[in-house]
Amino acid sequence: MNNDYQRARYVNPYTDFGFKKLFGTEMNKELLISFINSLFNGKEVVKDLTYLNTEHLGARELDRKAVFDVYCENEKGEKILVEMQKAEQQFFKDRSLYYATFPIREQAERGDWDYSLKAVYVIGILNFNIDDDNGSYFHHEVQLTDQRTQEVFYDKLTFIYLEMPKFNKTEEELDGMFEKWLFVLRNLSRLLERPQALQERVFTKLFEAAEIAKFTKTEYEAYEESLKVYRDWQNTIRTAINKGLAEGREKGLAEGLEKGLEKGLEKGKNEEKRIIARNLKALGLTSEQIQAATGLSAQEIDRV
């Protein structure tokens, strides 16, 4: 095992195992309720949650399967999807909207029905930035809004995105439960002990659940496998992108000398994507994963 991870005391919440261990089990439901309530900040108070099936199939055979990290329902019947997104995808917003259709459509009743719906919340914890133009703005709350009046047109569908790389507050700067939860998610796997600022009872439970030394043998093996997948994905994407950038820029600049710098650079960008896709194919990634990393279409990927 890598020395960095030998020294880790607490689970990495960005791994599939880590996230579901902390937020996706009945035993730790209190953690999920606390996190969601800190996110809603009094606008909505969740008293209890029921975990629902995380796998859904579309109405037609051609619809692809939707798999949620955590899918639950509060005591009022409102649906909440929570996802930890490790890497940027080309159609990330489309994917969020697509996933939201499942808890909406499953509310349809047989026979007479007046189309009354319960609220749906989609919460994305992102290990990347979706808005580089606003440096410190990391907490996005999105609803259908009237363009002219800027008033909310429909308040039963809410998308909440948290750009975790932008949250850089220190322990001493934390203000309120929401920021404490973000600090935990951002730093948990790097902590060697429980911070003094996190003295609430819910964090006592979290640090107990997250301590790797307390895992069963089966849990430890599952975590190791999940950690390996996470590391391999991060390293594969980083290596392919760096190699593609170097080769693509070199080729783009060479063509720029002949056909004009601007045109050459544009070609260089396209060539970068193709080279990255070629590298990822060689490493065995799926077409969908390559699309997410490069933005190329399935047809373009087939041709590289």
Side-chain angles (χ1 to χ4, degrees):
M1 187 174 170
N2 180 291
N3 286 337
D4 289 340
Y5 291 99
Q6 280 184 331
R7 290 195 297 268
R9 180 177 180 182
Y10 300 110
V11 70
N12 186 337
Y14 289 97
T15 62
D16 289 338
F17 175 89
F19 189 75
K20 289 176 182 175
K21 166 79 173 173
L22 298 178
F23 293 116
T25 63
E26 191 70 31
M27 181 185 305
N28 294 324
K29 182 167 66 174
E30 178 186 354
L31 304 181
L32 181 61
I33 292 174
S34 174
F35 170 66
I36 291 174
N37 280 335
S38 77
L39 190 60
F40 289 160
N41 193 29
K43 290 182 289 186
E44 177 87 14
V45 177
V46 175
K47 297 178 181 178
D48 193 19
L49 290 173
T50 301
Y51 287 102
L52 304 174
N53 182 13
T54 58
E55 291 193 5
H56 286 253
L57 291 172
R60 301 174 303 132
E61 187 177 349
L62 294 176
D63 288 343
R64 71 178 181 85
K65 188 188 329 186
V67 182
F68 316 132
D69 286 338
V70 173
Y71 180 34
C72 52
E73 177 181 274
N74 67 12
E75 69 279 0
K76 295 186 289 187
E78 298 171 335
K79 315 293 184 179
I80 304 173
L81 308 179
V82 187
E83 286 208 292
M84 174 69 80
Q85 292 291 330
K86 296 183 285 294
E88 188 173 6
Q89 297 186 12
Q90 181 187 12
F91 298 112
F92 168 72
K93 294 176 184 177
D94 302 68
R95 182 177 183 273
S96 291
L97 187 60
Y98 177 75
Y99 273 17
T101 64
F102 289 89
I104 293 173
R105 287 188 293 171
E106 72 179 10
Q107 295 184 52
E109 299 177 5
R110 295 183 181 276
D112 292 336
W113 178 47
D114 61 4
Y115 290 96
S116 175
L117 295 170
K118 300 290 187 181
V120 172
Y121 298 91
V122 179
I123 300 170
I125 304 169
L126 315 180
N127 195 21
F128 58 90
N129 295 335
I130 56 175
D131 181 12
D132 291 325
D133 294 331
N134 295 289
S136 60
Y137 179 52
F138 67 90
H139 181 189
H140 303 266
E141 186 167 325
V142 182
Q143 292 179 321
L144 293 175
T145 304
D146 187 295
Q147 288 287 326
R148 188 177 68 83
T149 66
Q150 296 302 303
E151 294 180 354
V152 174
F153 175 75
Y154 186 76
D155 63 357
K156 291 184 181 179
L157 179 60
T158 304
F159 298 89
I160 300 173
Y161 302 120
L162 305 174
E163 297 175 280
M164 297 305 297
K166 291 183 180 179
F167 184 81
N168 296 305
K169 285 197 173 184
T170 64
E171 179 185 349
E172 294 72 27
E173 296 172 323
L174 300 179
D175 180 20
M177 283 296 288
F178 176 55
E179 291 189 357
K180 290 181 180 183
W181 268 111
L182 294 187
F183 180 84
V184 167
L185 291 173
R186 183 78 197 275
N187 299 288
L188 182 59
S189 63
R190 296 193 291 266
L191 297 175
L192 296 179
E193 59 184 17
R194 178 180 173 181
Q196 287 296 315
L198 307 179
Q199 291 304 309
E200 289 81 1
R201 186 179 65 84
V202 70
F203 292 121
T204 300
K205 186 175 183 66
L206 178 136
F207 280 97
E208 288 177 355
E211 191 163 359
I212 297 171
K214 294 182 179 179
F215 288 180
T216 65
K217 183 176 184 294
T218 301
E219 286 178 327
Y220 183 78
E221 290 174 351
Y223 176 52
E224 281 289 287
E225 180 60 29
S226 185
L227 194 58
K228 179 181 182 299
V229 170
Y230 174 77
R231 288 204 309 262
D232 287 349
W233 169 253
Q234 295 289 321
N235 290 334
T236 297
I237 294 296
R238 190 178 301 114
T239 299
I241 288 176
N242 288 340
K243 186 175 180 181
L245 285 172
E247 294 182 18
R249 282 172 182 161
E250 182 178 346
K251 185 168 182 178
L253 287 171
E255 292 189 9
L257 292 175
E258 299 175 7
K259 302 177 182 179
L261 183 59
E262 184 175 346
K263 186 176 180 180
L265 287 173
E266 183 61 33
K267 284 192 175 184
K269 291 178 183 177
N270 293 331
E271 183 63 21
E272 286 171 15
K273 294 180 181 180
R274 288 193 290 271
I275 293 170
I276 291 170
R278 195 178 307 125
N279 293 337
L280 294 178
K281 283 180 74 173
L283 290 168
L285 271 70
T286 65
S287 178
E288 185 178 15
Q289 289 172 323
I290 297 171
Q291 287 181 61
T294 65
L296 295 176
S297 67
Q299 293 75 16
E300 290 172 317
I301 292 169
D302 288 339
R303 292 196 295 267
V304 299

